[in-house]
Amino acid sequence: MIDSPLPTRRRGRPPKDAEGGAATKAALLRAGVAALTEKGFVAAGIDEILGSVGVPKGSFYHYFDSKEAFGLALIDEYGRYFAHKLDRFLLDETLPPLERLRLFAADARQGMARHQFRRGCLIGNLGQEMGALPESFRQRLIDVFTDWQDRTAACLTLAGQRGEIAAGQDCGALAAFFWIGWEGAVLRAKLEGSPTSLDRFAEGFFRMAEA
Amino acid sequence: MIDSPLPTRRRGRPPKDAEGGAATKAALLRAGVAALTEKGFVAAGIDEILGSVGVPKGSFYHYFDSKEAFGLALIDEYGRYFAHKLDRFLLDETLPPLERLRLFAADARQGMARHQFRRGCLIGNLGQEMGALPESFRQRLIDVFTDWQDRTAACLTLAGQRGEIAAGQDCGALAAFFWIGWEGAVLRAKLEGSPTSLDRFAEGFFRMAEA
């Protein structure tokens, strides 16, 4: 994306109405997530993203101040989306806490399968590419991981209180371990086009937590 | 690299002597590994790689048939380098087997620290970028992971025979778990510019193996 031929900054006409503008912005974010989870930031072309939404090149800067701002918006959007998804699973009081995390992992696996394991994690992808990205991305990416980890740690702490995981485990460290390994598993699943690494990591992790 | 302005294919003059040619090729591979472990394949520029070695643009095709061939050579080179390094640690009969793997991880951590955690793993980087890379890379990358895993599994099997790890563990699965998680930890260390994730993953992994 960084290297893609972008239109020179030009205001053009404002969108006809605010509602249509918000819908277009949302569509651009969706298309951006699809492109970046598959190809990464550097390789994803702005032209391709605009084209898939049917937005003319000249209109890009109605919605985002710069390519960097678009990237930051994508990080925020994706971070929020998964925080919400995590909550939906991890705060479900009808289930034992550890089972909630297990179901989150199963849902994420299903999400990858839906796209034939071609799309990975936007945060992991951008984290891997950080050496070639605007420095402003770094802290935001770290913050998203920290946020996901904190939600996971709270669920594991509850699991500990209910005796589902081994006593004396540091639930913060365990949550960090989960996200470190899970991102490695997602990377590998994308490479192999298969869920094997996700299953293998999940199996090992839950065995470890319960041990 | 894919998108970088490459010289049009042109044979130019052959290198003066075979020895100098081999040295230049080796220097190009070293520079390629440095660029790709830091920035990834798509963002690394051929110009930058050639420039750092002092090779003129027109000479690139003396050494490699195409950008794709250069990428494949880098994968092979890096895979071999780490296979050799793994052997150096994992076949060291003066040490208990599990300690050998621990020292390999410590050495890899030191390698990242030497470059201020800016360089990650070439295989992990390219695996993450696979959605934007020549399809010929995929099986080679998978093969490298399989090779590293097999060497690790042999060491863990020995650790099992000597009672260093818990009985009944599937050493193949444990080795796969190590490489899935370790690649996630390298990704995160690069993002954070810190060894925390490497230490955290290693600590959790060895606790798990011994449990």
Side-chain angles (χ1 to χ4, degrees):
Chain A
M1 200 149 81
I2 282 176
D3 293 327
S4 78
L6 256 181
T8 51
R9 191 185 173 96
R10 153 162 88 87
R11 287 274 162 206
R13 276 192 306 175
K16 281 193 198 98
D17 55 78
E19 206 181 296
T24 304
K25 188 169 181 172
L28 282 171
L29 288 171
R30 269 198 308 278
V33 165
L36 266 64
T37 49
E38 187 162 339
K39 296 185 179 174
F41 192 80
V42 179
I46 280 283
D47 284 0
E48 179 193 336
I49 293 170
L50 292 172
S52 73
V53 178
V55 167
K57 276 183 96 167
S59 302
F60 179 79
Y61 291 111
H62 286 307
Y63 302 104
F64 301 98
D65 282 344
S66 63
K67 290 170 287 177
E68 185 171 337
F70 184 50
L72 290 171
L74 287 172
I75 294 170
D76 289 348
E77 177 74 8
Y78 194 87
R80 251 197 315 271
Y81 174 79
F82 266 89
H84 180 76
K85 191 189 273 278
L86 275 165
D87 278 355
R88 190 153 55 83
F89 284 96
L90 304 187
L91 303 178
D92 179 355
E93 298 194 352
T94 66
L95 293 168
L98 208 53
E99 184 63 13
R100 302 176 199 172
L101 184 58
R102 229 188 270 272
L103 288 178
F104 166 77
D107 180 80
R109 178 194 195 279
Q110 215 170 12
M112 285 195 76
R114 201 158 41 237
H115 300 287
Q116 293 80 45
F117 300 94
R118 282 200 313 268
R119 297 188 189 169
C121 171
L122 187 130
I123 310 301
N125 270 14
L126 269 53
Q128 189 76 283
E129 285 186 280
M130 200 48 232
L133 302 185
E135 198 51 38
S136 63
F137 286 17
R138 192 183 300 275
Q139 194 56 51
R140 296 272 196 113
L141 293 169
I142 293 172
D143 290 346
V144 171
F145 277 136
T146 305
D147 176 61
W148 295 351
Q149 263 172 221
D150 288 348
R151 290 170 205 265
T152 307
C155 178
L156 289 171
T157 300
L158 204 58
Q161 286 162 1
R162 303 210 186 155
E164 293 184 315
I165 63 178
Q169 295 228 51
D170 176 342
C171 290
L174 200 58
F177 187 94
F178 176 82
W179 281 103
I180 289 167
W182 185 253
E183 288 294 328
V186 168
L187 183 170
R188 197 67 178 275
K190 213 170 51 155
L191 172 62
E192 297 176 347
S194 124
T196 307
S197 58
L198 301 174
D199 294 340
R200 191 159 263 163
F201 180 77
E203 191 199 322
F205 175 80
F206 288 107
R207 197 157 38 83
M208 173 183 170
E210 288 166 334
Chain B
M1 199 148 82
I2 282 176
D3 295 326
S4 78
L6 256 182
T8 51
R9 190 185 174 97
R10 155 162 86 85
R11 288 274 162 205
R13 276 193 305 177
K16 280 192 199 98
D17 55 80
E19 206 180 295
T24 304
K25 188 168 181 173
L28 282 171
L29 288 171
R30 269 198 308 278
V33 165
L36 266 64
T37 49
E38 187 163 339
K39 297 185 177 173
F41 192 81
V42 179
I46 280 282
D47 284 359
E48 179 193 337
I49 293 169
L50 292 172
S52 73
V53 178
V55 167
K57 276 183 96 165
S59 302
F60 179 79
Y61 292 111
H62 285 307
Y63 302 103
F64 301 98
D65 283 343
S66 62
K67 293 170 285 176
E68 186 171 336
F70 184 50
L72 290 171
L74 287 172
I75 294 170
D76 288 348
E77 177 74 8
Y78 193 86
R80 250 196 316 269
Y81 174 79
F82 266 89
H84 180 75
K85 192 189 274 277
L86 275 165
D87 278 355
R88 190 154 54 82
F89 285 95
L90 303 187
L91 303 179
D92 179 354
E93 298 194 353
T94 66
L95 293 168
L98 208 54
E99 184 63 13
R100 303 175 198 173
L101 184 58
R102 231 187 269 272
L103 288 178
F104 166 77
D107 180 80
R109 178 194 194 278
Q110 216 169 13
M112 285 195 76
R114 200 156 45 235
H115 300 288
Q116 295 79 45
F117 299 95
R118 282 199 314 267
R119 296 188 189 170
C121 170
L122 188 130
I123 309 301
N125 270 14
L126 268 53
Q128 189 75 281
E129 286 186 278
M130 201 46 235
L133 301 185
E135 197 53 37
S136 64
F137 286 17
R138 192 183 301 275
Q139 193 56 51
R140 296 272 196 116
L141 294 169
I142 293 172
D143 289 346
V144 172
F145 276 135
T146 305
D147 176 61
W148 294 352
Q149 264 172 220
D150 288 348
R151 290 170 205 266
T152 307
C155 178
L156 289 171
T157 300
L158 205 58
Q161 286 162 1
R162 303 211 187 154
E164 294 185 314
I165 62 178
Q169 294 227 53
D170 176 342
C171 290
L174 200 58
F177 188 94
F178 176 82
W179 281 104
I180 289 167
W182 184 254
E183 288 294 328
V186 169
L187 183 170
R188 198 65 179 275
K190 214 171 50 154
L191 172 62
E192 297 177 347
S194 124
T196 307
S197 59
L198 301 174
D199 295 339
R200 191 159 264 162
F201 180 76
E203 192 200 322
F205 175 81
F206 287 107
R207 196 156 39 81
M208 174 181 168
E210 289 166 333

